[in-house]
């Protein structure tokens, strides 16, 4: 009888409410298009970014160079992540620079916890939530010998979050 594969899922790393104003300011600093659109002045409508955080983007500026560093993981794990992460460069106007750097926006661990997750776009700049010496992305079940289809699926998925994408069910008009 065939062994049933383990079930894995991605967990969104949502910025806590008390950090949303700072995260929104950082997102706007990186890319002014992340600023909320001006809403009509209606009774009871607030322009407070915490209340309209849904409208505040988390996208990087076009052409942005994102530094990517590994906090741990084997040489094989690192190589396989790089191999699949760069698929996004064919679709987004971004650049990934893989090198050890204390200034990296994307900091990858393979053992932060058992799940796989990523900060959403510019949220990784919020050092109150993602300290500079900690991960902004984790691959909790990817090992040296993990099947390549699973590697690609998980790495492309999490890097999608890192460049600002959310799950389909989170899109209000979806």
């Amino acid at each position: 009888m065939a062994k049933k594969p383990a079930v894995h899922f991605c967990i969104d790393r949502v910025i806590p409410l008390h950090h949303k104003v700072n995260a929104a300011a950082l997102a706007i600093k990186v890319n002014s298009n992340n600023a909320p659109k001006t809403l009509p002045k209606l009774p009871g409508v607030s322009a407070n970014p915490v209340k309209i955080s849904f409208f505040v983007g988390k996208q990087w500026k076009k052409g942005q160079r994102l530094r990517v560093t590994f906090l741990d993981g084997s040489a094989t794990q690192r190589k396989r992540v790089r191999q699949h992460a760069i698929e996004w460069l064919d679709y987004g106007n971004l650049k990934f620079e893989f090198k050890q750097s204390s200034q990296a926006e994307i900091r990858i661990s393979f053992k932060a916890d058992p799940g796989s997750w990523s900060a959403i776009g510019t949220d990784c700049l919020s050092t109150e939530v993602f300290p500079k010496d900690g991960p902004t992305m984790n691959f909790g079940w990817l090992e040296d010998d993990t099947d390549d289809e699973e590697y690609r699926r998980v790495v492309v998925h999490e890097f999608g979050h890192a460049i600002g994408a959310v799950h389909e069910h989170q899109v209000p008009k979806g």
Side-chain angles (χ1 to χ4, degrees), residues 26-44:
L26 291 167
I28 293 165
K29 183 177 177 183
V30 167
N31 182 353
S32 62
N33 290 330
N34 287 330
K37 305 299 180 236
T38 305
L39 297 174
K41 295 288 183 187
L42 300 172

Side-chain angles (χ1 to χ4, degrees), residues 14-27 49-50 53 56 58 122-123 125-131:
V14 178
I15 294 282
L17 185 61
H18 61 282
H19 291 300
K20 284 194 182 283
V21 172
N22 185 48
L26 291 167
V50 171
S53 64
V56 176
K58 298 170 189 279
T122 58
D123 280 353
L125 301 173
S126 178
T127 56
E128 299 90 358
V129 181
F130 301 103

Side-chain angles (χ1 to χ4, degrees), residues 28-93:
I28 293 165
K29 183 177 177 183
V30 167
N31 182 353
S32 62
N33 290 330
N34 287 330
K37 305 299 180 236
T38 305
L39 297 174
K41 295 288 183 187
L42 300 172
V45 174
S46 170
N48 183 314
V50 171
K51 292 185 179 180
I52 62 169
S53 64
F54 171 80
F55 297 110
V56 176
K58 298 170 189 279
Q59 297 177 0
W60 299 100
K61 190 179 356 176
K62 288 181 170 91
Q64 179 91 30
R65 174 183 54 99
L66 297 176
R67 295 164 292 196
V68 183
T69 196
F70 293 96
L71 302 176
D72 51 55
S74 71
T76 299
Q77 287 172 308
R78 293 171 182 215
K79 178 182 176 188
R80 294 181 78 187
V81 166
R82 280 191 298 271
Q83 170 191 352
H84 295 297
I86 62 172
E87 288 185 38
W88 280 110
L89 303 181
D90 291 336
Y91 305 101
N93 187 358

Side-chain angles (χ1 to χ4, degrees), residues 9-12 113-118 138-142 154 158:
F9 55 92
C10 170
I11 302 166
D12 292 338
D113 55 47
S116 287
W117 51 263
S118 177
N138 189 64
F139 296 112
W141 62 80
L142 297 182
V154 176
E158 298 308 338

Side-chain angles (χ1 to χ4, degrees), residues 92-107:
N93 187 358
L94 295 168
K95 297 172 184 73
F96 294 146
E97 182 180 290
F98 288 90
K99 70 179 193 177
Q100 291 306 110
S101 170
S102 62
Q103 301 301 309
E105 290 84 10
I106 300 172
R107 299 178 300 280

